Amino acid sequence: MKNSGRLMSICSDEEGMRDRGAARIFGLSILHTGLLLTMLITGMAMLTIALTAHAIAPVQQGSSAENPQVQTLTVAQIIARNGAARGGIDAWHAVTGLSEVGRMEQVQLSTINGIHKPRSGAHSTIGGGARDRSVPFTLHMQRPHKMYLEIQYHGSTAIQVFDGMQGWTVMPTSSGAVAVKYAPQTAHAAATQQDLDGPLMDSAAKGTKVLLEGLELVDGRNNYRLALTLRDGQVRHLWIDADTFLDTKIDGTRMVGGSVWPVETYFSGYKKVHGLQIPHVLDTAIGGTRTTERIVIDHVMLNPVLSDALFSAPAVTSGP
């Protein structure tokens, strides 16, 4: 986050190194969570995997013959099958909140002719995958857009909280914890993020226009590529597995160092949680680099009892 860099400038060299590391790990924002309700995107822009360009087969007469194993479906049919595959619209509507406990790891993906291998073969570069050297986090979310994220890093705690209208980032520094209020554009972005149900469920009611653009291979599997035009005019793309009808990845953009970078987030490791299919591995890739941030979810709790105070303004010194 931009404010994190400003905060680090007040630290001594030795403490600043530690604090900048925490800020880099903590540069998280919510982009999407098809099924997890949230997407954690790290600000480690220069340590993430290069985006892969795939050739898209336009959806038209004859495309089914070219891909006989893939059904030709309408957007409405894909949306319905996606909802059913994820556990059903009624079951998701019954979810009022969600908590996740997990860890973040930086991983290196091998590439062949510019195309990365499946992420199942990714090599962790944080402690070889050892949990004692990964970065643990706890995330709480509540409808409609409340969020509390806590990260432990080298003995320090960083927090990001959003009450539905305004948010704050609490960063550890050499002079103690400092809270910085969200900039107006950051608060607006957080308030307009996808809700707990993900982007396709109730898409029409949310004002999201969905267009089927074509078929595309993702990690060797056929996927329907959907263009999503959100109510505010933003355009994103979502890939739905043509066999399981679960979310495979979503794209977007993120401001990093004052520049707009393309971002892709991959969903895998699906597990059932009280009948809902939820991905437990999320790989976030920011364009132009060779590594990615991996989010591993160890535990998910649906409808936890969360106090409103958890999402209120932090009681710490305000920063610049």
Side-chain angles (χ1 to χ4, degrees), residues 238-270:
L238 177 67
W239 285 258
I240 301 297
D241 189 284
D243 182 36
T244 67
F245 288 92
L246 296 172
D247 299 40
T248 297
K249 71 172 179 175
I250 191 169
D251 71 5
T253 58
R254 190 56 82 218
M255 289 292 297
V256 179
S259 300
V260 177
W261 289 71
V263 173
E264 287 184 335
T265 297
Y266 295 79
F267 306 97
S268 60
Y270 280 88

Side-chain angles (χ1 to χ4, degrees), residues 115-136:
I115 300 178
H116 68 267
K117 295 179 180 179
R119 288 171 306 286
S120 58
H123 171 67
S124 172
T125 59
I126 294 185
R131 295 193 181 195
D132 60 345
R133 296 191 61 186
S134 59
V135 180

Side-chain angles (χ1 to χ4, degrees), residues 5 21 26 63 67 74 77 80 88 114 121 147 155 159 187 199 211 232 235 250 300:
F26 189 65
S63 63
N67 299 277
T74 65
Q77 289 172 321
M147 183 274 295
I159 296 171
L211 174 68
D232 63 0
V235 177
I250 191 169
V300 178

Side-chain angles (χ1 to χ4, degrees), residues 11-20 173-174:
C11 305
S12 65
D13 290 342
E14 180 176 354
E15 291 293 330
M17 288 294 290
R18 183 201 69 188
D19 295 342
R20 282 191 294 272
T173 72
S174 57

Side-chain angles (χ1 to χ4, degrees), residues 110-178:
S110 301
T111 59
I112 300 177
N113 296 327
I115 300 178
H116 68 267
K117 295 179 180 179
R119 288 171 306 286
S120 58
H123 171 67
S124 172
T125 59
I126 294 185
R131 295 193 181 195
D132 60 345
R133 296 191 61 186
S134 59
V135 180
F137 71 88
T138 299
L139 176 69
H140 301 293
M141 284 170 293
Q142 194 170 70
R143 289 188 189 272
H145 300 290
K146 294 182 179 180
M147 183 274 295
Y148 176 93
L149 173 66
E150 180 177 300
I151 294 176
Q152 302 293 326
Y153 183 73
H154 285 189
S156 298
T157 300
I159 296 171
Q160 191 175 46
V161 60
F162 185 70
D163 65 7
M165 297 184 65
Q166 184 52 258
W168 299 263
T169 297
V170 181
M171 294 296 301
T173 72
S174 57
S175 57
V178 177

Side-chain angles (χ1 to χ4, degrees), residues 18-284:
R18 183 201 69 188
D19 295 342
R20 282 191 294 272
R24 185 179 64 179
I25 289 291
F26 189 65
L28 301 174
S29 321
I30 296 180
L31 175 62
H32 164 78
T33 75
L35 326 174
L36 279 182
L37 327 176
T38 181
M39 180 41 245
L40 303 177
I41 292 188
T42 73
M44 300 176 71
M46 304 315 295
L47 295 176
T48 45
I49 178 177
L51 297 175
T52 300
H54 299 282
I56 299 176
V59 172
Q60 55 188 358
Q61 295 297 327
S63 63
S64 292
E66 297 168 5
N67 299 277
Q69 72 276 33
V70 179
Q71 301 180 66
T72 300
L73 301 176
T74 65
V75 167
Q77 289 172 321
I78 294 172
I79 292 175
R81 295 195 185 192
N82 173 256
R86 293 179 50 212
I89 187 171
D90 291 338
W92 275 101
H93 284 175
V95 177
T96 60
L98 176 145
S99 294
E100 300 167 359
V101 176
R103 60 194 187 277
M104 291 178 287
E105 298 175 354
Q106 176 191 334
V107 297
Q108 179 80 41
L109 303 189
S110 301
T111 59
I112 300 177
N113 296 327
I115 300 178
H116 68 267
K117 295 179 180 179
R119 288 171 306 286
S120 58
H123 171 67
S124 172
T125 59
I126 294 185
R131 295 193 181 195
D132 60 345
R133 296 191 61 186
S134 59
V135 180
F137 71 88
T138 299
L139 176 69
H140 301 293
M141 284 170 293
Q142 194 170 70
R143 289 188 189 272
H145 300 290
K146 294 182 179 180
M147 183 274 295
Y148 176 93
L149 173 66
E150 180 177 300
I151 294 176
Q152 302 293 326
Y153 183 73
H154 285 189
S156 298
T157 300
I159 296 171
Q160 191 175 46
V161 60
F162 185 70
D163 65 7
M165 297 184 65
Q166 184 52 258
W168 299 263
T169 297
V170 181
M171 294 296 301
T173 72
S174 57
S175 57
V178 177
V180 176
K181 195 174 183 179
Y182 278 11
Q185 62 269 30
T186 304
H188 173 74
T192 57
Q193 292 300 328
Q194 299 296 339
D195 57 24
L196 301 185
D197 305 316
L200 289 187
M201 202 168 285
D202 297 324
S203 56
K206 298 171 186 173
T208 299
K209 297 180 180 179
V210 184
L211 174 68
L212 176 57
E213 289 190 335
L215 294 170
E216 181 175 349
L217 287 178
V218 179
D219 285 346
R221 295 179 61 88
N222 287 307
N223 277 252
Y224 297 103
R225 170 172 164 151
L226 304 177
L228 311 178
T229 302
L230 308 185
R231 187 190 299 272
D232 63 0
Q234 294 184 65
V235 177
R236 292 174 181 160
H237 293 90
L238 177 67
W239 285 258
I240 301 297
D241 189 284
D243 182 36
T244 67
F245 288 92
L246 296 172
D247 299 40
T248 297
K249 71 172 179 175
I250 191 169
D251 71 5
T253 58
R254 190 56 82 218
M255 289 292 297
V256 179
S259 300
V260 177
W261 289 71
V263 173
E264 287 184 335
T265 297
Y266 295 79
F267 306 97
S268 60
Y270 280 88
K271 297 179 183 179
K272 275 192 175 183
V273 180
H274 296 292
L276 303 183
Q277 285 282 4
I278 295 181
H280 282 58
V281 178
L282 296 88
D283 291 322
T284 297

Side-chain angles (χ1 to χ4, degrees), residues 291-318:
T291 60
T292 184
E293 278 299 305
R294 170 162 290 176
I295 305 298
V296 180
I297 309 300
D298 295 316
H299 180 68
V300 178
M301 180 181 294
L302 301 181
N303 296 328
V305 178
L306 301 172
S307 169
D308 288 340
L310 182 68
F311 306 101
S312 61
V316 294
T317 303
S318 296

